[in-house]
Amino acid sequence: MKSAVIVFPASNCDRDAQNALKQLTGKDPHMVWHGETDLPDVDLVVLPGGFSYGDYLRCGAMASQSNIVRAVKAHAERGGAVLGICNGFQVLTEMHLLPGALMRNADLKFVCRPVTMTVEETQSAFSRKYQSGQTVSFPVAHGDGNYFADDETLKRLEGENRVVFRYVEGDNPNGSANDIAGILNEKRNVLGLMPHPERVVDPLLGGTDGVAMFQGLIESLG
Amino acid sequence: MKARVFVTLKNGVLDPQGKAIGHALNGLGFGSVGEVRAGKVIDLELAETDEAKARENVKAMCEKLLANTVIEKYEIELKA
């Protein structure tokens, strides 16, 4: 699997994603600056966590207008895999590759801790190596992770089994609708999630629950 | 021509920031304050002099970048 990590000004989990990809694929991912207009030939694009463009205007809003995003959109439209983590999820909603929006956490606090989620859906490259109903723990670190979508969109996401990760009851860190932590696009080649799988790929980091996501991608994308 | 854009959360979308401001105002003794909604004001200077064209232009800016219409609505005020 060949991969690229997009680097925006004030991305701060790009190195985490790079390390995870290197460790699990054995290959260095391409680190692609936001000002570039073309993507290298890759199977997976990661939009990393951070505070792209200082979260100006809205989280992910400025990043969604950057040069490289047009290439990422074209990659997704060709069926290429895109993983948006945390700020990357916010960018994906601002790009309209995923529906809904990430709003300010309901209690207005920045939350930084491990959360427990259920794997709701295993029919995707991102989640095929998990067991349906399995509980996993990934860390979150965000101030704007409160997933919002209108009732019709929520119904559609649920009906099409596009909610891949859901915070377990009582562990929703941000007030997110339907306890949603991560969702797929319609074609199931784009996943956005607030928690950080790339930070739990080594026992030294405090957990390995994120490994299966990358293994699933490697298995699907070669 | 100058434009002022007001971006606010749509009705029905929870505004935790507004809520916190409301609580703080109540705490300061402004007990008569009910619901509070917070938003943004964006001022733009435009080279355009035709009001209709300017409005159309700013509307496109709102739809494309200034507001996220999933959660926000916007109002445009123009001044010559």
Side-chain angles (χ1 to χ4, degrees):
Chain A
M1 181 179 74
K2 287 170 290 181
S3 59
V5 178
I6 308 299
V7 185
F8 297 105
S11 288
N12 69 0
C13 302
D14 45 329
R15 291 280 298 278
D16 292 350
Q18 182 184 26
N19 288 338
L21 287 164
K22 189 176 177 184
Q23 183 179 325
L24 297 168
T25 67
K27 279 179 260 185
D28 274 312
H30 296 271
M31 303 302 283
V32 181
W33 183 238
H34 71 112
E36 301 284 332
T37 47
D38 297 307
L39 276 174
D41 173 31
V42 292
D43 307 298
L44 169 72
V45 175
V46 177
L47 298 172
F51 300 84
S52 56
Y53 299 85
D55 281 347
Y56 289 174
L57 194 62
R58 295 178 305 277
C59 302
M62 311 306 288
S64 76
Q65 306 298 322
S66 65
N67 279 346
I68 195 63
V69 153
R70 276 185 280 274
V72 174
K73 214 165 186 175
H75 168 83
E77 276 157 11
R78 285 194 301 269
V82 180
L83 170 62
I85 303 165
C86 197
N87 187 220
F89 185 11
Q90 296 162 342
V91 175
L92 286 172
T93 60
E94 287 282 345
M95 284 168 72
H96 305 299
L97 278 181
L98 292 175
L102 280 314
M103 300 186 48
R104 184 69 59 88
N105 292 350
D107 64 2
L108 293 172
K109 288 187 185 119
F110 187 93
V111 54
C112 183
R113 64 172 172 86
V115 294
T116 312
M117 299 174 292
T118 314
V119 181
E120 298 277 311
E121 173 58 26
T122 55
Q123 302 291 313
S124 80
F126 306 92
S127 55
R128 57 188 287 177
K129 298 295 276 181
Y130 293 99
Q131 305 292 320
S132 181
Q134 183 183 346
T135 53
V136 292
S137 174
F138 295 177
V140 291
H142 62 248
D144 299 75
N146 180 355
Y147 184 75
F148 174 89
D150 58 39
D151 289 342
E152 200 180 312
T153 305
L154 288 174
K155 211 179 273 173
R156 194 157 164 223
L157 286 171
E158 298 286 357
E160 293 173 357
N161 298 321
R162 285 161 58 190
V163 178
V164 176
F165 296 104
R166 202 188 301 276
Y167 304 114
V168 301
E169 217 187 319
D171 208 18
N172 181 338
N174 49 40
S176 180
N178 292 18
D179 296 323
I180 285 172
I183 55 166
L184 289 167
N185 67 337
E186 207 174 336
K187 288 199 303 193
R188 309 176 93 77
N189 61 319
V190 177
L191 173 76
L193 77 170
M194 289 313 296
H196 289 268
E198 83 285 15
R199 293 194 191 170
V200 271
V201 293
D202 193 308
L204 271 178
L205 297 172
T208 54
D209 282 354
V211 172
M213 183 181 294
F214 294 96
Q215 280 174 342
L217 286 162
I218 293 165
E219 210 174 86
S220 302
L221 306 174
Chain B
M1 175 158 277
K2 286 182 180 171
R4 176 162 276 191
V5 178
F6 298 88
V7 181
T8 47
L9 287 171
K10 283 181 177 172
N11 297 335
V13 175
L14 180 75
D15 179 7
Q17 199 171 207
K19 233 178 194 159
I21 294 168
H23 281 307
L25 288 173
N26 291 153
L28 285 169
F30 299 102
S32 63
V33 176
E35 202 191 349
V36 178
R37 312 277 289 171
K40 294 183 193 113
V41 174
I42 302 165
D43 285 327
L44 307 164
E45 277 186 29
L46 305 170
E48 184 61 65
T49 49
D50 180 85
E51 188 170 331
K53 277 187 195 157
R55 187 172 293 279
E56 197 180 322
N57 216 350
V58 176
K59 190 166 182 249
M61 294 179 207
C62 289
E63 292 287 334
K64 218 171 166 190
L65 179 68
L66 300 181
N68 178 346
T69 54
V70 174
I71 47 172
E72 293 170 329
K73 56 186 166 60
Y74 57 84
E75 276 170 54
I76 301 165
E77 234 178 55
L78 292 169
K79 260 188 236 157

